[in-house]
Amino acid sequence: MTEALRARNSLLQQPVDGAHVWRGPDMATRRDEWLHVMTPGEVADLDAAVDEVEAQGLDILDIARADFPLPVLGDTLAKMRHDLLKGRGFSVLRGVPIDRYDRRAAAVAFWGLGTHLGDDAVSQNGKGHVLGHVKDLGHDYADPMARGYQTSARLPYHTDYSDLVALLCLKSAKSGGLSSIVSSAALYNELCERRPDLAEALTQTFYRTRWGEVGSDKPPYISVPVFNRHNGDDEAAPGVVTTYVRSAIRKAQLLPETPRLTDLQTEAMDAFDALAEDPAFHLDMEFRPGDFQVVNNHWTLHSRTAYEDHADSNDKRHLLRLWLACADGPPFPPAMTKEFEGLTNNGRPNGIHIPGVPFNAPLEAS
Ligand SMILES: [Fe+2]
């Protein structure tokens, strides 16, 4: 090891600290801290806000926080927002009464809840979808253009292209389809301890495909490190911000213009994935209809197990999804602001945004 690398590694080996560093088995015993079951008063509050929007006939895209007042549920959502952006990085609200809502009312409720957690909903694909649908459309995950949310495949641990990702479960699978999350800050600490050379490798540039969802002025890939360290002089910084989509890295290798992965990079991703898969680190949770789960992508990875669906298409597993930008999200390291998929007016990750494609909020998966 060179002197320079040794010096760099000594910086790398400084662990990060905070509520965002956690382990799954410990969190499993602290469920009351991260899962809130809605009270009857909170449900009535949500119902009233949905009814008001429906009475006004507002377009979903036009619903702002002011259009969706929640005088009772608001305190719970404010605590969720704090825990998401300043704390552990995930939260679940259980009991959204989707059985009483039609599809549009469920989407209004979901969007309205989202306005209290984020400041903007950003686009999730090249079609400008700001209301997403996670549902098996029969696509093959091996297809270079397929996105995981369109399949029933097991998804590896990854991050999405926004500050927060929110899901509302409308229908759960016949079997499988569990949600699994892991603290990427905890993985960072562990890798620095066990294999600082691999932690260092993950601070180098990785190339990720844009799945063909790209404006004509951009290359077909983005280049961004997995681990993005802060220099430590910003008290609001979480120490390290992680962004990782291995399937996009693998699929970028199919593009002839992409620089090749090194053996060290592949070994580092293998070690990172293995740690995430280790039951000592991740937290599994079921998705019940009416569960509203929100995750901070910057220090939490998410995944799901493969699933078997119900035969009737009306009963198939179906989640609504929002990608949210938060004005008070964590500082964003320069390596990410430069190469990330465009930024909102507030300088936040802007999802998958193609200039000129209008936003839309479809009520059906496509
Ligand atoms: Fe995702």
Side-chain angles (χ1 to χ4, degrees), residues 29-68:
T29 69
R30 296 161 57 190
R31 204 171 73 145
D32 289 351
E33 293 177 32
W34 52 264
L35 185 144
H36 175 83
V37 180
M38 293 175 74
T39 66
E42 289 173 335
V43 172
D45 199 34
L46 182 62
D47 280 344
V50 171
D51 286 347
E52 180 60 28
V53 164
E54 295 297 59
Q56 293 180 39
L58 289 177
D59 195 291
I60 288 176
L61 291 174
D62 293 334
I63 303 169
R65 198 176 299 165
D67 302 309
F68 208 82

Side-chain angles (χ1 to χ4, degrees), residues 87-260:
R88 84 180 86 79
F90 70 95
S91 245
V92 178
L93 184 70
R94 174 161 287 169
V96 177
I98 52 153
D99 50 337
R100 290 196 277 109
Y101 294 157
D102 62 16
R103 176 64 56 75
R104 150 109 190 165
V108 167
F110 182 45
W111 185 279
L113 290 170
T115 64
H116 287 260
L117 297 178
D119 298 288
D120 293 297
V122 299
S123 173
Q124 302 171 26
N125 56 29
K127 295 179 276 195
H129 291 174
V130 287
L131 177 65
H133 295 261
V134 180
K135 190 172 186 181
D136 181 15
L137 298 177
H139 291 204
D140 181 356
Y141 192 39
D143 178 345
M145 294 302 168
R147 300 270 302 275
Y149 67 83
Q150 301 165 319
T151 76
S152 65
R154 175 194 168 279
L155 296 184
Y157 290 91
H158 67 279
T159 55
D160 288 346
Y161 294 78
S162 57
D163 286 324
L164 303 180
V165 51
L167 297 168
L168 176 65
C169 180
L170 300 180
K171 302 272 186 186
S172 49
K174 184 177 174 190
S175 65
L178 292 180
S179 167
S180 189
I181 57 174
V182 65
S183 162
S184 52
L187 302 186
Y188 171 80
N189 282 357
E190 189 71 11
L191 213 47
C192 288
E193 169 95 23
R194 291 193 200 177
R195 288 293 303 271
D197 58 326
L198 300 185
E200 198 274 343
L202 291 171
T203 67
Q204 306 303 314
T205 296
F206 285 77
Y207 297 90
R208 305 198 322 214
T209 182
R210 297 179 193 267
W211 298 281
E213 296 177 313
V214 57
S216 59
D217 61 330
K218 293 178 180 172
Y221 54 76
I222 61 169
S223 51
V224 65
V226 175
F227 290 141
N228 297 269
R229 279 228 55 161
H230 289 278
N231 59 17
D233 56 8
D234 185 338
E235 286 187 13
V240 64
V241 163
T242 302
T243 181
Y244 182 67
V245 188
R246 184 156 187 179
S247 62
I249 294 169
R250 188 176 65 247
K251 290 174 184 179
Q253 292 294 303
L254 302 174
L255 303 168
E257 59 269 64
T258 308
R260 299 297 96 182

